[in-house]
Amino acid sequence: MARWQPNASERLVAAALELFEERGYEHTTVIEIAERAGLTKSTFFRHFPDKREVLFGGDTMAGLLAKGIAAAPATATPFEAVAHAMDAVSREAFTPARREFGARRRAVIAAHPELREREALKGLGLTASMTEALKRRGVPDLAACVAAELGALALKIAYECWSDTTDGDDFGEVARRTLGDLQAASQTLGLSGRSAP
Amino acid sequence: MARWQPNASERLVAAALELFEERGYEHTTVIEIAERAGLTKSTFFRHFPDKREVLFGGDTMAGLLAKGIAAAPATATPFEAVAHAMDAVSREAFTPARREFGARRRAVIAAHPELREREALKGLGLTASMTEALKRRGVPDLAACVAAELGALALKIAYECWSDTTDGDDFGEVARRTLGDLQAASQTLGLSGRSAP
DNA sequence: AGGGTGATGGGACCAAGTGCCATCACATTG
DNA sequence: CAATGTGATGGCACTTGGTCCCATCACCCT
């Protein structure tokens, strides 16, 4: 037994998600979240820097992606390195247990501009992290940018697909497939030529 | 002559930019911004929905991009349509007069997470707007996503290049060139093959 | 001259976020 | 067993962003 009720952070996340679903993000007070978790406002801000962050806690994604890219075989192309990172992230962060939570979280975020704003910032962080990791592999700057951008897009799309069902492929498979589809799509947008003769 | 001092919005923007440069974003109060512009807090929030938005006023970009894409020749590929939108936006929004302002604005935004967050959200808006416009041209969903994403990336990079010098190419040229470079880069990241034999 | 209109000023008010100090539960040490 | 230390929590005061409502002012129109 711990000193107080254990898992304060997780209780706060759960309380916040429930209240956001019930009353909406902007009609929910930090004090209300804390009270539902059996805590106080002070404690809330000791666990999260601000109200939005309660839904963006696990900030390990960027690091996992970077490590995954760094750990890819030296012979891997940029896209293959990104795909390698997807697998890493899938094993550590997108466990099957978080699937339903992901769907609820996503719905709440989509409904509130303030939360979408935070999500956008997190997306930039992921992109930057992947870009740096690719550059460290010797990938030229612009190529690293593009690969990271498409990797982040694949993550986003795959997250939607994955969290929308309770069964089916695990996250890694969905993400790899999505990345492949994006790669294929990017071949069809020719700048100077037409798509068909 | 107007009733009161004219150009209230612009005065607020100028005051805010100056104060953010002098004291930093978080050490500047909305009241201070308003006072420097010869106005009050009430009036500030009548012109801008929140403190961040004072640096993101001209919200015409998304519309201009969408119109530019819609106006591209029917035979244009997705990338060409995006390039067409760059030109439109260049003529209407990125006038030479705003070049120095752009550099100062960019420096302030880069220095403060809260502002970068807002910028990230604006970026999502641009991407979404371009994606929709491309879909309306009949471009398949995924292809539209990728083209819009790379278009937004090109805009971002081009904005940095363009605002970093007081002379040189106008925005449209920089953006088109950047888009071409990204297109070329995207061909070098092969998913299944290697870059060289 | 008198009323309409739109932008502004001012103040009350709520919630987010910060800082400081007291408190409590448990562990450690003598 | 008693004293002390430590880390998580509670509570309170305070600043600031942001909202609301109403009074006021400058100008236009009739």
Side-chain angles (χ1 to χ4, degrees):
Chain A
M1 313 267 247
R3 307 179 171 186
W4 301 270
Q5 297 292 334
N7 307 326
S9 293
E10 288 147 41
R11 267 158 45 219
L12 285 168
V13 172
L17 188 55
E18 289 171 16
L19 285 165
F20 294 166
E21 287 171 335
E22 292 172 15
R23 317 182 188 174
Y25 172 81
E26 52 229 352
H27 296 113
T28 301
T29 272
V30 169
I31 296 183
E32 294 169 335
I33 300 173
E35 275 173 358
R36 179 166 299 201
L39 296 167
T40 64
K41 183 181 159 188
S42 297
T43 304
F44 179 95
F45 285 110
R46 234 173 250 118
H47 286 270
F48 304 99
D50 59 50
K51 183 181 171 188
R52 306 152 207 80
E53 199 68 13
V54 72
L55 289 188
F56 298 87
D59 238 2
T60 58
M61 282 273 295
L64 285 175
L65 288 170
K67 276 203 291 185
I69 287 176
T75 58
T77 65
F79 260 136
E80 287 168 346
V82 170
H84 196 265
M86 305 282 193
D87 289 336
V89 127
S90 168
R91 280 190 302 271
E92 317 242 2
F94 293 92
T95 73
R98 297 191 53 115
R99 208 155 173 160
E100 187 219 339
F101 172 81
R104 296 172 59 199
R105 173 180 175 278
R106 213 161 54 73
V108 169
I109 292 174
H112 301 284
E114 214 170 310
L115 292 171
R116 296 202 310 161
E117 197 168 9
R118 177 58 51 87
E119 191 181 39
L121 185 64
K122 297 291 181 182
L124 282 195
L126 298 184
T127 304
S129 179
M130 287 192 281
T131 304
E132 287 312 306
L134 287 166
K135 284 185 190 173
R136 279 194 290 272
R137 291 174 64 88
V139 178
D141 286 14
L142 270 190
C145 266
V146 174
E149 203 82 33
L150 295 182
L153 179 57
L155 273 177
K156 190 172 118 190
I157 296 174
Y159 182 54
E160 292 172 12
C161 294
W162 174 78
S163 64
D164 259 357
T165 63
T166 55
D167 59 315
D169 298 334
D170 72 10
F171 183 81
E173 294 174 49
V174 181
R176 288 188 89 113
R177 190 185 328 127
T178 305
L179 191 62
D181 291 346
L182 291 180
Q183 152 89 339
S186 74
Q187 310 285 352
T188 71
L189 334 146
L191 184 55
S192 44
R194 303 292 184 279
S195 47
Chain B
M1 316 263 249
R3 308 181 173 187
W4 301 269
Q5 296 292 332
N7 306 324
S9 292
E10 287 147 41
R11 267 157 44 219
L12 285 168
V13 173
L17 188 55
E18 289 171 17
L19 285 166
F20 293 166
E21 287 172 336
E22 292 171 15
R23 318 180 188 173
Y25 173 81
E26 53 229 353
H27 296 112
T28 301
T29 272
V30 170
I31 296 183
E32 292 170 337
I33 300 174
E35 276 174 357
R36 178 166 300 199
L39 297 167
T40 64
K41 182 183 161 188
S42 298
T43 305
F44 179 96
F45 285 110
R46 231 171 255 119
H47 286 271
F48 305 98
D50 59 50
K51 183 181 171 189
R52 308 154 205 74
E53 199 69 11
V54 71
L55 290 187
F56 297 87
D59 240 1
T60 58
M61 282 275 294
L64 284 175
L65 288 171
K67 277 203 293 185
I69 288 176
T75 59
T77 64
F79 258 137
E80 286 168 346
V82 170
H84 196 264
M86 306 283 193
D87 289 336
V89 126
S90 168
R91 280 190 302 272
E92 316 243 3
F94 293 93
T95 74
R98 298 191 53 110
R99 207 155 174 159
E100 187 218 340
F101 172 82
R104 296 172 59 200
R105 173 180 174 279
R106 215 162 51 76
V108 169
I109 292 174
H112 301 283
E114 213 170 311
L115 292 171
R116 297 203 308 160
E117 197 168 10
R118 177 58 50 87
E119 193 181 38
L121 185 64
K122 296 292 180 179
L124 282 195
L126 298 184
T127 304
S129 179
M130 287 193 281
T131 304
E132 287 312 306
L134 287 166
K135 285 186 189 172
R136 279 193 291 271
R137 291 175 64 88
V139 177
D141 285 14
L142 269 189
C145 265
V146 175
E149 203 82 35
L150 294 182
L153 179 58
L155 274 178
K156 189 172 121 189
I157 296 175
Y159 183 53
E160 292 172 11
C161 295
W162 174 77
S163 64
D164 259 357
T165 63
T166 56
D167 59 316
D169 299 333
D170 71 12
F171 182 81
E173 296 176 48
V174 181
R176 289 189 89 113
R177 192 185 325 131
T178 305
L179 192 61
D181 293 346
L182 290 181
Q183 152 90 338
S186 74
Q187 310 286 353
T188 72
L189 331 149
L191 185 54
S192 46
R194 302 291 183 281
S195 49

XYZ file of all heavy atoms in Angstrom, chain B residues 72-132:
460
model
N -6.851 26.589 -60.503
C -5.806 26.021 -61.357
C -6.455 25.325 -62.556
O -7.587 24.849 -62.457
C -4.964 25.029 -60.556
N -5.752 25.285 -63.692
C -6.297 24.635 -64.891
C -6.735 23.211 -64.586
O -6.121 22.535 -63.752
C -5.114 24.634 -65.867
C -4.170 25.661 -65.354
C -4.415 25.832 -63.907
N -7.780 22.764 -65.258
C -8.317 21.424 -64.998
C -7.293 20.345 -65.288
O -7.354 19.255 -64.720
C -9.573 21.190 -65.836
N -6.329 20.649 -66.149
C -5.335 19.636 -66.513
C -4.175 19.571 -65.525
O -3.313 18.705 -65.657
C -4.760 19.954 -67.905
O -4.161 21.256 -67.850
C -5.840 19.939 -68.960
N -4.135 20.474 -64.586
C -2.992 20.538 -63.672
C -2.966 19.329 -62.742
O -4.012 18.864 -62.281
C -3.050 21.819 -62.841
N -1.773 18.821 -62.471
C -1.619 17.764 -61.475
C -1.813 18.372 -60.089
O -1.789 19.592 -59.941
C -0.214 17.155 -61.550
O 0.729 18.176 -61.197
C 0.095 16.666 -62.957
N -1.981 17.536 -59.072
C -2.141 18.070 -57.708
C -1.025 19.034 -57.323
O -1.277 20.120 -56.794
C -2.116 16.814 -56.842
C -2.678 15.748 -57.717
C -2.202 16.078 -59.106
N 0.203 18.667 -57.604
C 1.325 19.536 -57.240
C 1.263 20.864 -57.983
O 1.574 21.918 -57.437
C 2.662 18.847 -57.544
C 3.310 18.279 -56.319
C 3.891 17.010 -56.360
C 3.353 18.992 -55.122
C 4.491 16.483 -55.230
C 3.948 18.465 -54.005
C 4.518 17.199 -54.048
N 0.860 20.794 -59.253
C 0.757 22.033 -60.017
C -0.343 22.923 -59.466
O -0.213 24.155 -59.428
C 0.498 21.715 -61.496
C 1.740 21.179 -62.196
C 1.427 20.584 -63.563
O 0.244 20.339 -63.859
O 2.378 20.359 -64.332
N -1.427 22.305 -59.021
C -2.507 23.094 -58.431
C -2.014 23.789 -57.160
O -2.312 24.965 -56.912
C -3.702 22.187 -58.123
N -1.239 23.068 -56.375
C -0.695 23.667 -55.155
C 0.238 24.828 -55.508
O 0.187 25.897 -54.887
C 0.040 22.610 -54.310
C 0.801 23.262 -53.173
C -0.940 21.578 -53.758
N 1.060 24.604 -56.530
C 1.968 25.675 -56.951
C 1.177 26.898 -57.405
O 1.559 28.047 -57.139
C 2.869 25.171 -58.071
N 0.070 26.655 -58.045
C -0.803 27.740 -58.480
C -1.313 28.521 -57.275
O -1.372 29.761 -57.281
C -1.975 27.154 -59.279
C -2.718 28.156 -60.097
N -3.870 28.771 -59.656
C -2.466 28.662 -61.324
C -4.300 29.618 -60.583
N -3.465 29.569 -61.613
N -1.654 27.806 -56.223
C -2.134 28.456 -55.006
C -1.035 29.314 -54.374
O -1.299 30.388 -53.816
C -2.623 27.403 -54.019
N 0.201 28.846 -54.466
C 1.326 29.618 -53.925
C 1.386 30.991 -54.578
O 1.597 32.009 -53.925
C 2.652 28.900 -54.189
C 2.700 27.493 -53.697
S 2.943 27.407 -51.926
C 3.343 25.675 -51.761
N 1.212 31.009 -55.881
C 1.254 32.281 -56.608
C 0.145 33.209 -56.135
O 0.368 34.394 -55.888
C 1.116 32.025 -58.109
C 2.367 31.383 -58.685
O 3.438 31.551 -58.071
O 2.264 30.710 -59.723
N -1.060 32.636 -56.012
C -2.193 33.451 -55.575
C -1.892 34.085 -54.225
O -2.047 35.296 -54.016
C -3.455 32.593 -55.498
N -1.437 33.259 -53.312
C -1.161 33.716 -51.953
C -0.023 34.737 -51.949
O -0.015 35.685 -51.142
C -0.837 32.478 -51.093
C 0.477 32.618 -50.395
C -1.964 32.207 -50.132
N 0.899 34.526 -52.830
C 2.038 35.443 -52.898
C 1.598 36.844 -53.303
O 2.073 37.845 -52.777
C 3.066 34.910 -53.886
O 4.028 35.899 -54.183
N 0.689 36.909 -54.240
C 0.224 38.218 -54.706
C -0.592 38.941 -53.650
O -0.493 40.167 -53.503
C -0.639 38.038 -55.964
C 0.161 37.842 -57.241
C -0.754 37.908 -58.456
N -1.816 36.901 -58.380
C -1.694 35.651 -58.834
N -0.554 35.273 -59.371
N -2.696 34.798 -58.741
N -1.397 38.202 -52.893
C -2.357 38.843 -52.007
C -1.871 39.018 -50.579
O -2.294 39.940 -49.882
C -3.659 38.029 -51.995
C -4.080 37.595 -53.381
C -5.413 38.208 -53.769
O -5.936 38.998 -52.975
O -5.914 37.877 -54.856
N -1.039 38.114 -50.105
C -0.708 38.143 -48.675
C 0.759 38.456 -48.404
O 1.073 39.184 -47.462
C -1.077 36.809 -48.030
N 1.666 37.932 -49.237
C 3.088 38.100 -48.939
C 3.693 39.223 -49.771
O 4.612 39.015 -50.555
C 3.835 36.789 -49.193
C 3.447 35.706 -48.253
C 2.441 34.798 -48.572
C 4.077 35.583 -47.023
C 2.081 33.796 -47.695
C 3.723 34.568 -46.141
C 2.721 33.680 -46.479
N 3.169 40.417 -49.573
C 3.686 41.561 -50.309
C 5.060 41.935 -49.766
O 5.382 41.652 -48.610
C 2.736 42.752 -50.133
O 2.906 43.275 -48.817
C 1.291 42.321 -50.298
N 5.887 42.541 -50.603
C 7.245 42.927 -50.175
C 7.231 43.759 -48.898
O 8.143 43.666 -48.081
C 7.743 43.751 -51.364
C 6.968 43.249 -52.529
C 5.627 42.865 -52.010
N 6.191 44.576 -48.709
C 6.145 45.442 -47.541
C 6.106 44.643 -46.241
O 6.519 45.131 -45.186
C 4.920 46.361 -47.623
N 5.594 43.412 -46.288
C 5.440 42.634 -45.062
C 6.663 41.773 -44.778
O 6.661 40.936 -43.868
C 4.198 41.755 -45.164
C 2.920 42.563 -45.325
C 1.715 41.657 -45.151
N 1.795 40.925 -43.907
C 1.003 41.148 -42.851
N 0.103 42.077 -42.916
N 1.131 40.430 -41.755
N 7.709 41.969 -45.585
C 8.857 41.074 -45.464
C 9.588 41.242 -44.132
O 9.869 40.266 -43.441
C 9.816 41.370 -46.622
C 10.652 40.199 -47.027
C 11.072 40.355 -48.471
N 12.006 39.314 -48.848
C 12.240 38.943 -50.098
N 11.605 39.562 -51.081
N 13.097 37.985 -50.370
N 9.863 42.495 -43.779
C 10.584 42.713 -42.512
C 9.703 42.339 -41.331
O 10.154 41.709 -40.371
C 11.015 44.180 -42.395
C 11.913 44.424 -41.197
C 11.607 45.761 -40.542
O 11.003 46.636 -41.201
O 11.944 45.925 -39.354
N 8.436 42.726 -41.420
C 7.500 42.337 -40.371
C 7.507 40.822 -40.174
O 7.514 40.326 -39.039
C 6.097 42.816 -40.728
C 5.026 42.311 -39.819
C 4.779 42.933 -38.600
C 4.264 41.208 -40.168
C 3.797 42.462 -37.753
C 3.276 40.728 -39.319
C 3.044 41.355 -38.117
N 7.532 40.095 -41.285
C 7.535 38.638 -41.216
C 8.716 38.100 -40.429
O 8.561 37.176 -39.624
N 9.869 38.671 -40.628
C 11.055 38.186 -39.928
C 10.931 38.430 -38.427
O 11.221 37.548 -37.611
C 12.304 38.874 -40.472
N 10.475 39.611 -38.056
C 10.341 39.919 -36.626
C 9.298 39.004 -35.998
O 9.503 38.444 -34.921
C 9.950 41.386 -36.449
C 11.009 42.364 -36.939
C 10.498 43.788 -36.921
N 10.092 44.219 -35.581
C 9.268 45.240 -35.347
N 8.769 45.917 -36.352
N 8.950 45.568 -34.119
N 8.174 38.880 -36.695
C 7.098 38.034 -36.205
C 7.591 36.598 -35.996
O 7.342 35.975 -34.981
C 5.969 38.069 -37.228
C 4.833 37.124 -36.974
C 3.794 37.279 -38.079
N 2.744 36.290 -37.967
C 2.835 35.047 -38.394
N 3.968 34.637 -38.964
N 1.834 34.205 -38.246
N 8.320 36.104 -36.975
C 8.796 34.729 -36.906
C 9.719 34.502 -35.713
O 9.652 33.480 -35.029
C 9.520 34.392 -38.203
C 9.358 32.982 -38.658
C 9.720 32.853 -40.116
N 11.004 33.429 -40.430
C 12.177 32.862 -40.132
N 12.212 31.716 -39.480
N 13.298 33.454 -40.471
N 10.583 35.481 -35.452
C 11.516 35.349 -34.333
C 10.766 35.293 -33.006
O 11.093 34.488 -32.134
C 12.503 36.520 -34.343
N 9.771 36.155 -32.875
C 9.003 36.164 -31.629
C 8.261 34.846 -31.439
O 8.272 34.245 -30.354
C 8.014 37.348 -31.621
C 7.033 37.230 -30.474
C 8.773 38.661 -31.540
N 7.632 34.373 -32.495
C 6.872 33.123 -32.400
C 7.785 31.966 -32.023
O 7.456 31.143 -31.173
C 6.159 32.828 -33.726
C 5.054 33.857 -33.961
C 5.588 31.430 -33.739
C 4.383 33.756 -35.307
N 8.959 31.935 -32.655
C 9.872 30.814 -32.405
C 10.309 30.764 -30.947
O 10.650 29.710 -30.424
C 11.092 30.930 -33.322
N 10.272 31.913 -30.272
C 10.808 31.994 -28.912
C 9.800 31.611 -27.836
O 10.180 31.500 -26.668
C 11.339 33.405 -28.653
N 8.525 31.414 -28.208
C 7.525 31.215 -27.166
C 6.580 30.071 -27.511
O 5.816 30.152 -28.471
C 6.749 32.506 -26.931
C 7.636 33.650 -26.527
N 8.130 33.762 -25.254
C 8.144 34.687 -27.219
C 8.891 34.848 -25.175
N 8.919 35.413 -26.375
N 6.612 29.006 -26.734
C 5.823 27.805 -26.988
C 4.350 28.096 -27.237
O 3.734 27.484 -28.111
C 5.993 26.995 -25.702
C 7.261 27.482 -25.107
C 7.397 28.906 -25.503
N 3.790 29.031 -26.481
C 2.369 29.316 -26.630
C 2.073 29.831 -28.039
O 1.029 29.528 -28.615
C 1.948 30.353 -25.580
C 0.544 30.192 -25.073
C 0.291 31.091 -23.876
O 1.120 31.092 -22.936
O -0.710 31.800 -23.887
N 3.001 30.600 -28.586
C 2.806 31.127 -29.932
C 3.072 30.057 -30.983
O 2.398 29.995 -32.010
C 3.712 32.338 -30.150
C 3.344 33.575 -29.326
C 4.405 34.645 -29.426
C 1.991 34.108 -29.756
N 4.049 29.216 -30.715
C 4.313 28.131 -31.668
C 3.125 27.186 -31.722
O 2.805 26.614 -32.756
C 5.574 27.376 -31.257
C 6.813 28.283 -31.303
C 8.054 27.473 -31.448
N 8.133 26.421 -30.446
C 8.896 25.345 -30.549
N 9.635 25.195 -31.630
N 8.936 24.461 -29.592
N 2.475 27.031 -30.591
C 1.287 26.184 -30.552
C 0.211 26.758 -31.478
O -0.396 26.036 -32.259
C 0.779 26.120 -29.112
C -0.165 24.989 -28.849
C -0.393 24.794 -27.356
O 0.033 25.644 -26.552
O -1.019 23.787 -26.995
N -0.013 28.045 -31.383
C -1.011 28.658 -32.249
C -0.615 28.526 -33.712
O -1.430 28.271 -34.578
C -1.195 30.130 -31.878
C -2.159 30.900 -32.772
C -3.550 30.280 -32.793
N -4.099 30.002 -31.484
C -4.789 30.851 -30.743
N -5.029 32.055 -31.200
N -5.257 30.495 -29.570
N 0.684 28.690 -33.975
C 1.149 28.557 -35.349
C 0.908 27.145 -35.875
O 0.522 26.952 -37.031
C 2.641 28.894 -35.433
C 3.120 29.079 -36.852
C 4.603 29.382 -36.927
O 5.380 28.792 -36.131
O 5.001 30.201 -37.764
N 1.130 26.181 -35.008
C 0.892 24.795 -35.406
C -0.565 24.589 -35.782
O -0.892 23.928 -36.773
C 1.295 23.849 -34.273
N -1.460 25.182 -35.000
C -2.886 25.059 -35.304
C -3.220 25.720 -36.639
O -3.968 25.176 -37.450
C -3.716 25.686 -34.188
C -5.226 25.527 -34.323
C -5.607 24.051 -34.244
C -5.968 26.325 -33.267
N -2.642 26.884 -36.880
C -2.878 27.553 -38.154
C -2.390 26.677 -39.300
O -3.015 26.599 -40.363
C -2.155 28.894 -38.181
C -2.663 29.883 -37.153
C -4.063 30.346 -37.469
C -4.556 31.332 -36.424
N -5.913 31.817 -36.704
N -1.257 26.017 -39.085
C -0.738 25.124 -40.109
C -1.724 24.013 -40.431
O -1.955 23.690 -41.602
N -2.331 23.444 -39.399
C -3.343 22.413 -39.632
C -4.484 22.962 -40.476
O -4.998 22.280 -41.368
C -3.907 21.910 -38.306
C -3.079 20.925 -37.493
C -3.952 20.275 -36.425
C -2.501 19.869 -38.411
N -4.863 24.202 -40.176
C -5.944 24.824 -40.938
C -5.593 24.949 -42.407
O -6.423 24.649 -43.279
N -4.370 25.370 -42.688
C -3.945 25.490 -44.084
C -3.967 24.126 -44.773
O -4.459 23.986 -45.900
C -2.540 26.090 -44.157
C -2.374 27.500 -43.591
C -0.956 27.994 -43.828
C -3.385 28.447 -44.214
N -3.420 23.141 -44.076
C -3.391 21.799 -44.660
C -4.800 21.303 -44.952
O -5.084 20.794 -46.048
C -2.688 20.831 -43.700
O -1.386 21.332 -43.404
C -2.568 19.454 -44.309
N -5.692 21.465 -43.988
C -7.065 21.000 -44.178
C -7.719 21.712 -45.354
O -8.407 21.092 -46.171
C -7.867 21.224 -42.901
N -7.485 23.012 -45.435
C -8.092 23.781 -46.504
C -7.604 23.309 -47.876
O -8.397 23.150 -48.817
C -7.760 25.257 -46.290
O -8.296 26.040 -47.310
N -6.313 23.073 -47.974
C -5.772 22.608 -49.260
C -6.250 21.205 -49.564
O -6.565 20.874 -50.729
C -4.241 22.663 -49.219
C -3.699 24.089 -49.294
S -1.920 24.175 -49.616
C -1.270 23.823 -48.001
N -6.303 20.350 -48.546
C -6.779 18.985 -48.764
C -8.191 18.997 -49.351
O -8.473 18.324 -50.352
C -6.778 18.205 -47.436
O -5.477 18.240 -46.863
C -7.189 16.766 -47.656
N -9.068 19.783 -48.722
C -10.448 19.846 -49.214
C -10.508 20.354 -50.641
O -11.226 19.819 -51.490
C -11.282 20.754 -48.296
C -11.590 20.127 -46.945
C -12.113 18.706 -47.083
O -13.092 18.512 -47.833
O -11.523 17.794 -46.464
